[in-house]
Amino acid sequence: MKIAVIGNGTMGAGIVQCAAQHNMDIVMKGRSKESLDKAMLKLKKNFARLVEKGKITEEQSAQYYAHIKATQDFADIADADLIIEALSEDMEVKKATLRNLDGIIKPEAIFATNTSSLSITELASVTNRPAKVIGMHFFNPADRMKLIEVIAGVNTPVETTEKIVSIAKEIGKTPV
């Protein structure tokens, strides 16, 4: 499974780290080379800190880091199976991102938003795939907090919800 995260701030980078630590290939999409470089350096430091604490080995650190690809190009996430949006909590920003991605990502891809308060149904309404839009709210810090809130929209079928619940469990989370 290929996962993409849009956003490389605190939440985006935490989600990336969590997936990488479960040996999933993950692409982190950011707006600028500078912000991506900063996020990748933070991830490298986070893995180094886990090595220092004896929680992972140097080899695991290198392995996890190797699962992460950083990009500024939406085309690099076109083949992702799951796209997790971790942008600011702004309906218009999220809608614009969904509209843009709708024409790029493969039809069977699931688009999950890391929102805690915005309507999944409203976000899904700007796409041609409302059945593939769902909320997947990680709690901060995303790499350590076990809980993930899974939020279905009016048009989200049980199959999409079950898939997100399954993925959440694969990355060591407790979905509710």
Side-chain angles (χ1 to χ4, degrees), residues 1-2 17 22 35 46 55 72 79 81 87-88 101 109 114 117 119-120 129 143-144 151-152 166 173:
M1 164 172 286
K2 181 176 178 181
Q17 181 177 339
H22 287 83
S35 69
N46 287 352
K55 296 188 184 248
Q72 291 176 256
D79 63 340
D81 302 297
L87 300 170
S88 62
L101 284 170
N114 185 46
S117 61
S119 167
I120 303 306
R129 62 178 86 222
D143 59 301
R144 291 183 296 261
I151 312 112
S166 174
K173 300 298 183 183

Side-chain angles (χ1 to χ4, degrees), residues 51-66:
V51 171
E52 287 171 16
K53 291 181 176 184
K55 296 188 184 248
I56 64 173
T57 65
E58 287 280 351
E59 293 78 21
Q60 286 173 308
S61 174
Q63 178 185 2
Y64 297 157
Y65 194 77

Side-chain angles (χ1 to χ4, degrees), residues 28-99:
M28 179 171 53
K29 196 304 191 174
R31 285 185 291 195
S32 70
K33 182 179 180 335
E34 295 77 24
S35 69
L36 285 165
D37 288 347
K38 183 178 173 183
M40 291 298 285
L41 181 60
K42 181 179 180 180
L43 288 164
K44 190 169 263 197
K45 286 180 180 178
N46 287 352
F47 292 139
R49 189 172 19 252
L50 291 172
V51 171
E52 287 171 16
K53 291 181 176 184
K55 296 188 184 248
I56 64 173
T57 65
E58 287 280 351
E59 293 78 21
Q60 286 173 308
S61 174
Q63 178 185 2
Y64 297 157
Y65 194 77
H67 282 288
I68 305 166
K69 177 183 177 187
T71 187
Q72 291 176 256
D73 190 349
F74 278 109
D76 290 335
I77 64 173
D79 63 340
D81 302 297
L82 171 64
I83 296 92
I84 303 170
E85 167 274 314
L87 300 170
S88 62
E89 199 72 354
D90 180 309
M91 180 65 82
E92 294 312 311
V93 168
K94 291 179 186 291
K95 281 182 176 180
T97 301
L98 268 169
R99 277 188 209 100

